[in-house]
Amino acid sequence: MIYMMWQISDMKCPLPDNIKAALNYHTKKYGLPPNIIEHSPKLSPFPNVDGVESTPVSIPANILLIGVK
């Protein structure tokens, strides 16, 4: 699987807004809506996003890995 890395540049911005921006960017860039997000366990509780599986992995808290399974 190939991921797009999304860096959260403003950690003060609400996490759901960052996630929405990342998902929209992925869809625009690759033409496919992502269905998986890997994130730091430090971002728990991670908000639910319909149709997107979220998995905590050992990465920095300001990074989201977004892809299509």
Side-chain angles (χ1 to χ4, degrees):
M1 180 179 328
I2 298 175
Y3 290 98
M4 177 189 85
M5 184 182 83
W6 180 265
Q7 182 174 354
I8 301 171
S9 57
D10 183 3
M11 292 298 284
K12 293 179 185 175
C13 182
L15 183 57
D17 293 347
N18 277 303
I19 294 168
K20 183 177 179 182
L23 296 176
N24 288 339
Y25 184 83
H26 183 283
T27 302
K28 183 177 177 182
K29 183 172 183 173
Y30 298 106
L32 293 170
N35 58 11
I36 188 164
I37 298 176
E38 293 186 355
H39 59 87
S40 170
K42 294 178 183 178
L43 296 178
S44 294
F46 197 80
N48 277 339
V49 180
D50 288 338
V52 180
E53 174 187 336
S54 65
T55 307
V57 294
S58 183
I59 57 176
N62 69 327
I63 299 295
L64 300 174
L65 298 176
I66 302 166
V68 178
K69 249 186 186 180

Short mmCIF file of all heavy atoms in Angstrom, two decimals:
data_model
loop_
_atom_site.label_atom_id
_atom_site.label_comp_id
_atom_site.label_asym_id
_atom_site.label_seq_id
_atom_site.Cartn_x
_atom_site.Cartn_y
_atom_site.Cartn_z
N MET A 1 0.84 -1.17 0.00
CA MET A 1 0.00 0.00 0.00
C MET A 1 0.89 1.23 0.00
O MET A 1 1.93 1.28 0.65
CB MET A 1 -0.90 -0.01 1.25
CG MET A 1 -1.79 1.17 1.29
SD MET A 1 -2.94 1.28 2.68
CE MET A 1 -3.34 -0.36 3.05
N ILE A 2 0.47 2.25 -0.73
CA ILE A 2 1.19 3.51 -0.78
C ILE A 2 0.39 4.56 -0.02
O ILE A 2 -0.82 4.67 -0.20
CB ILE A 2 1.42 3.96 -2.24
CG1 ILE A 2 2.26 2.92 -2.96
CG2 ILE A 2 2.07 5.33 -2.28
CD1 ILE A 2 2.45 3.20 -4.43
N TYR A 3 1.07 5.28 0.84
CA TYR A 3 0.43 6.30 1.65
C TYR A 3 0.83 7.70 1.20
O TYR A 3 1.93 7.91 0.71
CB TYR A 3 0.85 6.17 3.12
CG TYR A 3 0.31 4.97 3.81
CD1 TYR A 3 1.08 3.83 3.95
CD2 TYR A 3 -0.97 4.98 4.34
CE1 TYR A 3 0.59 2.72 4.62
CE2 TYR A 3 -1.48 3.88 5.00
CZ TYR A 3 -0.69 2.75 5.13
OH TYR A 3 -1.18 1.66 5.78
N MET A 4 -0.06 8.63 1.42
CA MET A 4 0.26 10.04 1.31
C MET A 4 0.50 10.51 2.75
O MET A 4 -0.29 10.22 3.64
CB MET A 4 -0.91 10.82 0.71
CG MET A 4 -0.65 12.32 0.63
SD MET A 4 -2.11 13.26 0.17
CE MET A 4 -2.88 13.46 1.77
N MET A 5 1.59 11.20 2.98
CA MET A 5 1.87 11.73 4.31
C MET A 5 1.30 13.14 4.40
O MET A 5 1.52 13.96 3.51
CB MET A 5 3.37 11.78 4.59
CG MET A 5 3.68 12.22 6.00
SD MET A 5 5.44 12.34 6.32
CE MET A 5 5.77 13.96 5.68
N TRP A 6 0.55 13.39 5.46
CA TRP A 6 -0.02 14.71 5.70
C TRP A 6 0.57 15.23 7.00
O TRP A 6 0.47 14.59 8.03
CB TRP A 6 -1.54 14.60 5.82
CG TRP A 6 -2.22 15.91 6.07
CD1 TRP A 6 -2.58 16.41 7.29
CD2 TRP A 6 -2.64 16.86 5.10
NE1 TRP A 6 -3.20 17.62 7.12
CE2 TRP A 6 -3.25 17.93 5.78
CE3 TRP A 6 -2.54 16.92 3.71
CZ2 TRP A 6 -3.77 19.03 5.12
CZ3 TRP A 6 -3.07 18.02 3.06
CH2 TRP A 6 -3.68 19.06 3.76
N GLN A 7 1.19 16.38 6.93
CA GLN A 7 1.76 16.99 8.14
C GLN A 7 0.79 18.02 8.67
O GLN A 7 0.37 18.93 7.96
CB GLN A 7 3.10 17.65 7.85
CG GLN A 7 3.72 18.24 9.09
CD GLN A 7 5.12 18.78 8.84
OE1 GLN A 7 5.68 18.63 7.76
NE2 GLN A 7 5.69 19.41 9.83
N ILE A 8 0.42 17.86 9.93
CA ILE A 8 -0.44 18.83 10.59
C ILE A 8 0.46 19.98 11.02
O ILE A 8 1.24 19.85 11.95
CB ILE A 8 -1.15 18.20 11.80
CG1 ILE A 8 -2.00 17.00 11.35
CG2 ILE A 8 -1.99 19.24 12.53
CD1 ILE A 8 -2.57 16.19 12.49
N SER A 9 0.34 21.10 10.32
CA SER A 9 1.25 22.22 10.60
C SER A 9 0.75 23.10 11.74
O SER A 9 1.54 23.80 12.36
CB SER A 9 1.46 23.05 9.34
OG SER A 9 0.21 23.51 8.86
N ASP A 10 -0.55 23.05 12.03
CA ASP A 10 -1.10 23.85 13.12
C ASP A 10 -1.82 22.92 14.09
O ASP A 10 -2.98 22.57 13.90
CB ASP A 10 -2.07 24.90 12.57
CG ASP A 10 -2.64 25.81 13.65
OD1 ASP A 10 -2.23 25.67 14.83
OD2 ASP A 10 -3.49 26.65 13.32
N MET A 11 -1.11 22.51 15.14
CA MET A 11 -1.68 21.57 16.11
C MET A 11 -2.78 22.22 16.95
O MET A 11 -3.50 21.53 17.65
CB MET A 11 -0.59 21.01 17.02
CG MET A 11 0.40 20.10 16.31
SD MET A 11 -0.33 18.63 15.59
CE MET A 11 -0.58 17.63 17.06
N LYS A 12 -2.94 23.54 16.88
CA LYS A 12 -4.01 24.22 17.60
C LYS A 12 -5.33 24.14 16.84
O LYS A 12 -6.39 24.31 17.42
CB LYS A 12 -3.64 25.67 17.86
CG LYS A 12 -2.47 25.82 18.82
CD LYS A 12 -2.10 27.26 19.03
CE LYS A 12 -0.85 27.34 19.90
NZ LYS A 12 -0.39 28.72 20.05
N CYS A 13 -5.25 23.89 15.53
CA CYS A 13 -6.45 23.73 14.70
C CYS A 13 -7.12 22.41 15.11
O CYS A 13 -6.43 21.42 15.37
CB CYS A 13 -6.05 23.69 13.24
SG CYS A 13 -7.41 23.54 12.09
N PRO A 14 -8.46 22.38 15.18
CA PRO A 14 -9.13 21.13 15.58
C PRO A 14 -8.75 19.95 14.69
O PRO A 14 -8.65 20.09 13.46
CB PRO A 14 -10.61 21.46 15.45
CG PRO A 14 -10.69 22.95 15.50
CD PRO A 14 -9.40 23.45 14.91
N LEU A 15 -8.52 18.80 15.31
CA LEU A 15 -8.11 17.59 14.57
C LEU A 15 -9.10 17.22 13.47
O LEU A 15 -8.67 16.90 12.35
CB LEU A 15 -7.89 16.43 15.54
CG LEU A 15 -7.40 15.13 14.93
CD1 LEU A 15 -6.10 15.33 14.16
CD2 LEU A 15 -7.24 14.08 16.01
N PRO A 16 -10.42 17.27 13.71
CA PRO A 16 -11.35 16.93 12.62
C PRO A 16 -11.18 17.82 11.38
O PRO A 16 -11.31 17.34 10.25
CB PRO A 16 -12.73 17.12 13.24
CG PRO A 16 -12.51 16.89 14.70
CD PRO A 16 -11.13 17.46 14.98
N ASP A 17 -10.83 19.09 11.57
CA ASP A 17 -10.59 19.99 10.43
C ASP A 17 -9.35 19.57 9.66
O ASP A 17 -9.33 19.59 8.42
CB ASP A 17 -10.45 21.43 10.89
CG ASP A 17 -11.74 22.01 11.45
OD1 ASP A 17 -12.81 21.39 11.25
OD2 ASP A 17 -11.68 23.08 12.08
N ASN A 18 -8.29 19.18 10.38
CA ASN A 18 -7.07 18.70 9.72
C ASN A 18 -7.33 17.41 8.95
O ASN A 18 -6.84 17.23 7.83
CB ASN A 18 -5.97 18.46 10.76
CG ASN A 18 -5.24 19.73 11.12
OD1 ASN A 18 -4.68 20.39 10.26
ND2 ASN A 18 -5.24 20.06 12.39
N ILE A 19 -8.10 16.52 9.53
CA ILE A 19 -8.42 15.25 8.87
C ILE A 19 -9.22 15.51 7.60
O ILE A 19 -8.92 14.96 6.54
CB ILE A 19 -9.18 14.31 9.82
CG1 ILE A 19 -8.29 13.90 10.98
CG2 ILE A 19 -9.70 13.09 9.07
CD1 ILE A 19 -9.02 13.21 12.11
N LYS A 20 -10.22 16.37 7.69
CA LYS A 20 -11.05 16.68 6.53
C LYS A 20 -10.21 17.28 5.39
O LYS A 20 -10.35 16.89 4.24
CB LYS A 20 -12.16 17.65 6.92
CG LYS A 20 -13.11 17.98 5.82
CD LYS A 20 -14.23 18.91 6.30
CE LYS A 20 -15.15 19.25 5.16
NZ LYS A 20 -16.21 20.17 5.57
N ALA A 21 -9.30 18.19 5.75
CA ALA A 21 -8.42 18.80 4.74
C ALA A 21 -7.54 17.75 4.08
O ALA A 21 -7.35 17.75 2.86
CB ALA A 21 -7.58 19.90 5.37
N ALA A 22 -7.00 16.84 4.88
CA ALA A 22 -6.13 15.79 4.34
C ALA A 22 -6.90 14.85 3.41
O ALA A 22 -6.41 14.49 2.33
CB ALA A 22 -5.51 14.99 5.48
N LEU A 23 -8.10 14.45 3.82
CA LEU A 23 -8.90 13.55 2.99
C LEU A 23 -9.29 14.23 1.68
O LEU A 23 -9.25 13.60 0.60
CB LEU A 23 -10.15 13.09 3.75
CG LEU A 23 -9.90 12.26 5.00
CD1 LEU A 23 -11.22 11.96 5.71
CD2 LEU A 23 -9.16 10.99 4.69
N ASN A 24 -9.69 15.49 1.75
CA ASN A 24 -10.06 16.23 0.53
C ASN A 24 -8.86 16.38 -0.40
O ASN A 24 -8.99 16.23 -1.62
CB ASN A 24 -10.63 17.60 0.89
CG ASN A 24 -12.00 17.52 1.50
OD1 ASN A 24 -12.72 16.53 1.33
ND2 ASN A 24 -12.38 18.54 2.23
N TYR A 25 -7.70 16.66 0.15
CA TYR A 25 -6.50 16.82 -0.67
C TYR A 25 -6.15 15.50 -1.37
O TYR A 25 -5.82 15.49 -2.56
CB TYR A 25 -5.32 17.30 0.18
CG TYR A 25 -4.08 17.57 -0.64
CD1 TYR A 25 -3.93 18.77 -1.30
CD2 TYR A 25 -3.08 16.61 -0.76
CE1 TYR A 25 -2.80 19.01 -2.07
CE2 TYR A 25 -1.95 16.85 -1.52
CZ TYR A 25 -1.82 18.05 -2.18
OH TYR A 25 -0.72 18.29 -2.95
N HIS A 26 -6.22 14.40 -0.63
CA HIS A 26 -5.91 13.09 -1.21
C HIS A 26 -6.86 12.79 -2.37
O HIS A 26 -6.42 12.35 -3.43
CB HIS A 26 -6.02 12.00 -0.14
CG HIS A 26 -5.65 10.64 -0.62
ND1 HIS A 26 -6.50 9.87 -1.40
CD2 HIS A 26 -4.53 9.90 -0.46
CE1 HIS A 26 -5.91 8.73 -1.69
NE2 HIS A 26 -4.70 8.73 -1.13
N THR A 27 -8.15 13.03 -2.16
CA THR A 27 -9.14 12.76 -3.21
C THR A 27 -8.87 13.62 -4.45
O THR A 27 -8.92 13.13 -5.58
CB THR A 27 -10.57 13.01 -2.68
OG1 THR A 27 -10.78 12.16 -1.54
CG2 THR A 27 -11.60 12.71 -3.74
N LYS A 28 -8.56 14.90 -4.23
CA LYS A 28 -8.29 15.80 -5.35
C LYS A 28 -7.02 15.39 -6.10
O LYS A 28 -6.98 15.38 -7.32
CB LYS A 28 -8.16 17.23 -4.83
CG LYS A 28 -7.95 18.25 -5.90
CD LYS A 28 -7.89 19.66 -5.31
CE LYS A 28 -7.61 20.68 -6.40
NZ LYS A 28 -7.50 22.03 -5.87
N LYS A 29 -5.99 15.04 -5.36
CA LYS A 29 -4.69 14.72 -5.97
C LYS A 29 -4.70 13.37 -6.70
O LYS A 29 -4.17 13.25 -7.79
CB LYS A 29 -3.59 14.72 -4.91
CG LYS A 29 -2.21 14.46 -5.49
CD LYS A 29 -1.12 14.66 -4.49
CE LYS A 29 0.22 14.44 -5.18
NZ LYS A 29 1.34 14.78 -4.33
N TYR A 30 -5.30 12.34 -6.07
CA TYR A 30 -5.21 10.99 -6.61
C TYR A 30 -6.50 10.50 -7.27
O TYR A 30 -6.51 9.43 -7.87
CB TYR A 30 -4.79 10.01 -5.52
CG TYR A 30 -3.42 10.34 -4.96
CD1 TYR A 30 -3.29 10.92 -3.71
CD2 TYR A 30 -2.27 10.10 -5.70
CE1 TYR A 30 -2.04 11.24 -3.20
CE2 TYR A 30 -1.02 10.41 -5.21
CZ TYR A 30 -0.91 10.99 -3.96
OH TYR A 30 0.33 11.30 -3.46
N GLY A 31 -7.59 11.25 -7.11
CA GLY A 31 -8.85 10.86 -7.74
C GLY A 31 -9.59 9.74 -7.03
O GLY A 31 -10.61 9.27 -7.53
N LEU A 32 -9.08 9.30 -5.91
CA LEU A 32 -9.72 8.24 -5.13
C LEU A 32 -9.87 8.69 -3.68
O LEU A 32 -8.92 9.21 -3.10
CB LEU A 32 -8.87 6.96 -5.13
CG LEU A 32 -8.71 6.22 -6.44
CD1 LEU A 32 -7.65 5.15 -6.30
CD2 LEU A 32 -10.03 5.61 -6.84
N PRO A 33 -11.03 8.48 -3.10
CA PRO A 33 -11.16 8.82 -1.68
C PRO A 33 -10.40 7.80 -0.83
O PRO A 33 -10.50 6.59 -1.06
CB PRO A 33 -12.66 8.76 -1.42
CG PRO A 33 -13.20 7.86 -2.49
CD PRO A 33 -12.28 8.01 -3.67
N PRO A 34 -9.63 8.25 0.13
CA PRO A 34 -8.88 7.32 0.98
C PRO A 34 -9.82 6.55 1.91
O PRO A 34 -10.90 7.02 2.25
CB PRO A 34 -7.96 8.24 1.78
CG PRO A 34 -8.62 9.57 1.75
CD PRO A 34 -9.39 9.64 0.49
N ASN A 35 -9.39 5.35 2.29
CA ASN A 35 -10.21 4.56 3.21
C ASN A 35 -9.41 4.07 4.42
O ASN A 35 -9.87 3.25 5.18
CB ASN A 35 -10.89 3.40 2.50
CG ASN A 35 -9.92 2.46 1.83
OD1 ASN A 35 -8.73 2.54 2.04
ND2 ASN A 35 -10.45 1.60 1.00
N ILE A 36 -8.19 4.60 4.58
CA ILE A 36 -7.39 4.25 5.75
C ILE A 36 -6.55 5.45 6.19
O ILE A 36 -6.03 6.19 5.35
CB ILE A 36 -6.49 3.02 5.51
CG1 ILE A 36 -5.83 2.59 6.80
CG2 ILE A 36 -5.49 3.25 4.42
CD1 ILE A 36 -5.25 1.19 6.77
N ILE A 37 -6.50 5.65 7.50
CA ILE A 37 -5.63 6.68 8.10
C ILE A 37 -4.84 6.02 9.22
O ILE A 37 -5.43 5.36 10.08
CB ILE A 37 -6.43 7.84 8.70
CG1 ILE A 37 -7.26 8.57 7.65
CG2 ILE A 37 -5.50 8.84 9.40
CD1 ILE A 37 -8.14 9.66 8.23
N GLU A 38 -3.53 6.20 9.19
CA GLU A 38 -2.69 5.76 10.30
C GLU A 38 -2.24 7.03 11.03
O GLU A 38 -1.89 8.02 10.39
CB GLU A 38 -1.52 4.93 9.81
CG GLU A 38 -2.00 3.61 9.22
CD GLU A 38 -0.89 2.67 8.85
OE1 GLU A 38 0.31 3.04 8.94
OE2 GLU A 38 -1.21 1.54 8.45
N HIS A 39 -2.27 6.98 12.35
CA HIS A 39 -2.01 8.16 13.16
C HIS A 39 -1.30 7.77 14.43
O HIS A 39 -1.26 6.60 14.81
CB HIS A 39 -3.33 8.86 13.50
CG HIS A 39 -4.27 7.97 14.24
ND1 HIS A 39 -4.25 7.84 15.61
CD2 HIS A 39 -5.25 7.14 13.81
CE1 HIS A 39 -5.18 6.98 15.99
NE2 HIS A 39 -5.80 6.53 14.90
N SER A 40 -0.75 8.76 15.10
CA SER A 40 -0.07 8.54 16.37
C SER A 40 -1.08 8.18 17.46
O SER A 40 -2.18 8.75 17.50
CB SER A 40 0.67 9.81 16.78
OG SER A 40 1.15 9.70 18.10
N PRO A 41 -0.72 7.28 18.35
CA PRO A 41 -1.60 6.99 19.49
C PRO A 41 -1.81 8.23 20.38
O PRO A 41 -2.78 8.30 21.12
CB PRO A 41 -0.85 5.91 20.28
CG PRO A 41 0.16 5.36 19.35
CD PRO A 41 0.46 6.42 18.34
N LYS A 42 -0.93 9.22 20.27
CA LYS A 42 -1.08 10.45 21.04
C LYS A 42 -2.30 11.25 20.60
O LYS A 42 -2.73 12.16 21.30
CB LYS A 42 0.17 11.32 20.90
CG LYS A 42 1.40 10.71 21.53
CD LYS A 42 2.61 11.57 21.33
CE LYS A 42 3.85 10.89 21.90
NZ LYS A 42 5.05 11.68 21.67
N LEU A 43 -2.86 10.93 19.42
CA LEU A 43 -4.04 11.63 18.92
C LEU A 43 -5.34 10.94 19.36
O LEU A 43 -6.39 11.20 18.81
CB LEU A 43 -4.00 11.74 17.39
CG LEU A 43 -2.87 12.58 16.82
CD1 LEU A 43 -2.91 12.55 15.29
CD2 LEU A 43 -2.95 14.01 17.32
N SER A 44 -5.24 10.07 20.34
CA SER A 44 -6.43 9.37 20.83
C SER A 44 -7.15 10.23 21.86
O SER A 44 -6.51 10.93 22.64
CB SER A 44 -6.04 8.03 21.45
OG SER A 44 -5.54 7.19 20.45
N PRO A 45 -8.46 10.23 21.87
CA PRO A 45 -9.33 9.47 20.98
C PRO A 45 -9.36 10.11 19.59
O PRO A 45 -9.52 11.31 19.45
CB PRO A 45 -10.70 9.55 21.64
CG PRO A 45 -10.67 10.82 22.41
CD PRO A 45 -9.23 11.03 22.83
N PHE A 46 -9.19 9.28 18.58
CA PHE A 46 -9.19 9.73 17.19
C PHE A 46 -10.63 9.77 16.69
O PHE A 46 -11.38 8.83 16.90
CB PHE A 46 -8.36 8.77 16.32
CG PHE A 46 -7.96 9.33 15.00
CD1 PHE A 46 -6.88 10.20 14.90
CD2 PHE A 46 -8.67 9.01 13.85
CE1 PHE A 46 -6.50 10.72 13.67
CE2 PHE A 46 -8.29 9.52 12.62
CZ PHE A 46 -7.20 10.38 12.53
N PRO A 47 -11.05 10.87 16.07
CA PRO A 47 -12.44 10.98 15.63
C PRO A 47 -12.79 9.94 14.56
O PRO A 47 -11.96 9.61 13.72
CB PRO A 47 -12.55 12.38 15.06
CG PRO A 47 -11.21 12.98 15.11
CD PRO A 47 -10.27 12.05 15.77
N ASN A 48 -14.02 9.42 14.62
CA ASN A 48 -14.50 8.50 13.59
C ASN A 48 -14.80 9.26 12.32
O ASN A 48 -15.37 10.34 12.36
CB ASN A 48 -15.78 7.79 14.05
CG ASN A 48 -15.49 6.60 14.91
OD1 ASN A 48 -14.40 6.06 14.89
ND2 ASN A 48 -16.47 6.20 15.69
N VAL A 49 -14.41 8.67 11.19
CA VAL A 49 -14.71 9.23 9.88
C VAL A 49 -15.41 8.12 9.10
O VAL A 49 -14.85 7.02 8.97
CB VAL A 49 -13.43 9.68 9.15
CG1 VAL A 49 -13.76 10.24 7.79
CG2 VAL A 49 -12.65 10.69 9.98
N ASP A 50 -16.61 8.40 8.60
CA ASP A 50 -17.37 7.38 7.88
C ASP A 50 -16.58 6.83 6.69
O ASP A 50 -16.05 7.58 5.89
CB ASP A 50 -18.69 7.96 7.36
CG ASP A 50 -19.69 8.21 8.48
OD1 ASP A 50 -19.57 7.59 9.55
OD2 ASP A 50 -20.60 9.04 8.27
N GLY A 51 -16.50 5.51 6.62
CA GLY A 51 -15.85 4.84 5.51
C GLY A 51 -14.34 4.83 5.56
O GLY A 51 -13.69 4.41 4.61
N VAL A 52 -13.76 5.31 6.66
CA VAL A 52 -12.30 5.38 6.78
C VAL A 52 -11.89 4.63 8.04
O VAL A 52 -12.35 4.91 9.14
CB VAL A 52 -11.80 6.84 6.84
CG1 VAL A 52 -10.29 6.89 6.97
CG2 VAL A 52 -12.25 7.61 5.61
N GLU A 53 -11.00 3.66 7.85
CA GLU A 53 -10.45 2.89 8.97
C GLU A 53 -9.28 3.65 9.56
O GLU A 53 -8.41 4.13 8.83
CB GLU A 53 -9.98 1.53 8.44
CG GLU A 53 -9.27 0.67 9.42
CD GLU A 53 -8.69 -0.59 8.76
OE1 GLU A 53 -9.21 -1.01 7.70
OE2 GLU A 53 -7.73 -1.12 9.31
N SER A 54 -9.26 3.81 10.88
CA SER A 54 -8.12 4.50 11.50
C SER A 54 -7.36 3.52 12.39
O SER A 54 -7.96 2.71 13.09
CB SER A 54 -8.59 5.70 12.32
OG SER A 54 -9.37 5.31 13.41
N THR A 55 -6.05 3.60 12.30
CA THR A 55 -5.17 2.70 13.03
C THR A 55 -4.06 3.48 13.69
O THR A 55 -3.36 4.24 13.02
CB THR A 55 -4.55 1.67 12.06
OG1 THR A 55 -5.58 1.04 11.32
CG2 THR A 55 -3.72 0.65 12.79
N PRO A 56 -3.87 3.31 15.00
CA PRO A 56 -2.73 3.97 15.65
C PRO A 56 -1.43 3.22 15.34
O PRO A 56 -1.39 2.00 15.39
CB PRO A 56 -3.08 3.91 17.13
CG PRO A 56 -4.08 2.82 17.28
CD PRO A 56 -4.75 2.65 15.96
N VAL A 57 -0.40 3.98 14.98
CA VAL A 57 0.93 3.42 14.71
C VAL A 57 1.96 4.36 15.34
O VAL A 57 1.66 5.48 15.69
CB VAL A 57 1.21 3.26 13.19
CG1 VAL A 57 0.29 2.22 12.58
CG2 VAL A 57 1.09 4.57 12.46
N SER A 58 3.17 3.90 15.44
CA SER A 58 4.23 4.68 16.07
C SER A 58 4.82 5.69 15.08
O SER A 58 5.80 5.41 14.38
CB SER A 58 5.32 3.74 16.59
OG SER A 58 6.31 4.48 17.24
N ILE A 59 4.18 6.86 15.01
CA ILE A 59 4.66 7.97 14.18
C ILE A 59 4.50 9.26 14.99
O ILE A 59 3.78 9.27 15.99
CB ILE A 59 3.89 8.07 12.83
CG1 ILE A 59 2.39 8.21 13.05
CG2 ILE A 59 4.21 6.88 11.93
CD1 ILE A 59 1.59 8.41 11.76
N PRO A 60 5.14 10.34 14.57
CA PRO A 60 4.98 11.60 15.29
C PRO A 60 3.51 12.05 15.32
O PRO A 60 2.75 11.77 14.39
CB PRO A 60 5.84 12.59 14.50
CG PRO A 60 6.85 11.74 13.81
CD PRO A 60 6.13 10.46 13.49
N ALA A 61 3.15 12.80 16.34
CA ALA A 61 1.77 13.22 16.54
C ALA A 61 1.27 14.20 15.47
O ALA A 61 0.07 14.35 15.30
CB ALA A 61 1.60 13.84 17.92
N ASN A 62 2.17 14.85 14.75
CA ASN A 62 1.74 15.80 13.73
C ASN A 62 1.68 15.20 12.32
O ASN A 62 1.58 15.92 11.34
CB ASN A 62 2.64 17.04 13.74
CG ASN A 62 4.03 16.74 13.24
OD1 ASN A 62 4.56 15.64 13.44
ND2 ASN A 62 4.65 17.71 12.60
N ILE A 63 1.72 13.88 12.22
CA ILE A 63 1.71 13.20 10.91
C ILE A 63 0.49 12.30 10.80
O ILE A 63 0.14 11.59 11.73
CB ILE A 63 2.98 12.35 10.73
CG1 ILE A 63 4.25 13.23 10.79
CG2 ILE A 63 2.94 11.53 9.44
CD1 ILE A 63 4.38 14.22 9.68
N LEU A 64 -0.14 12.33 9.62
CA LEU A 64 -1.19 11.38 9.27
C LEU A 64 -0.74 10.66 8.01
O LEU A 64 -0.23 11.29 7.08
CB LEU A 64 -2.52 12.08 8.99
CG LEU A 64 -3.13 12.91 10.11
CD1 LEU A 64 -4.37 13.66 9.62
CD2 LEU A 64 -3.49 12.03 11.30
N LEU A 65 -0.89 9.35 7.99
CA LEU A 65 -0.61 8.57 6.78
C LEU A 65 -1.96 8.16 6.22
O LEU A 65 -2.75 7.50 6.89
CB LEU A 65 0.24 7.35 7.11
CG LEU A 65 1.61 7.64 7.69
CD1 LEU A 65 2.32 6.35 8.08
CD2 LEU A 65 2.46 8.44 6.71
N ILE A 66 -2.23 8.58 4.98
CA ILE A 66 -3.54 8.40 4.37
C ILE A 66 -3.39 7.60 3.10
O ILE A 66 -2.48 7.88 2.30
CB ILE A 66 -4.15 9.77 4.07
CG1 ILE A 66 -4.25 10.58 5.35
CG2 ILE A 66 -5.50 9.65 3.40
CD1 ILE A 66 -4.50 12.02 5.16
N GLY A 67 -4.27 6.61 2.89
CA GLY A 67 -4.15 5.81 1.69
C GLY A 67 -5.43 5.07 1.34
O GLY A 67 -6.46 5.22 1.98
N VAL A 68 -5.31 4.26 0.29
CA VAL A 68 -6.41 3.45 -0.20
C VAL A 68 -5.97 2.00 -0.09
O VAL A 68 -4.91 1.61 -0.58
CB VAL A 68 -6.75 3.79 -1.67
CG1 VAL A 68 -7.85 2.88 -2.18
CG2 VAL A 68 -7.14 5.24 -1.80
N LYS A 69 -6.77 1.18 0.59
CA LYS A 69 -6.48 -0.24 0.74
C LYS A 69 -6.80 -0.97 -0.53
O LYS A 69 -7.77 -0.74 -1.17
CB LYS A 69 -7.34 -0.83 1.86
CG LYS A 69 -6.56 -1.22 3.06
CD LYS A 69 -7.49 -1.91 4.01
CE LYS A 69 -6.77 -2.20 5.29
NZ LYS A 69 -7.60 -2.85 6.25
#
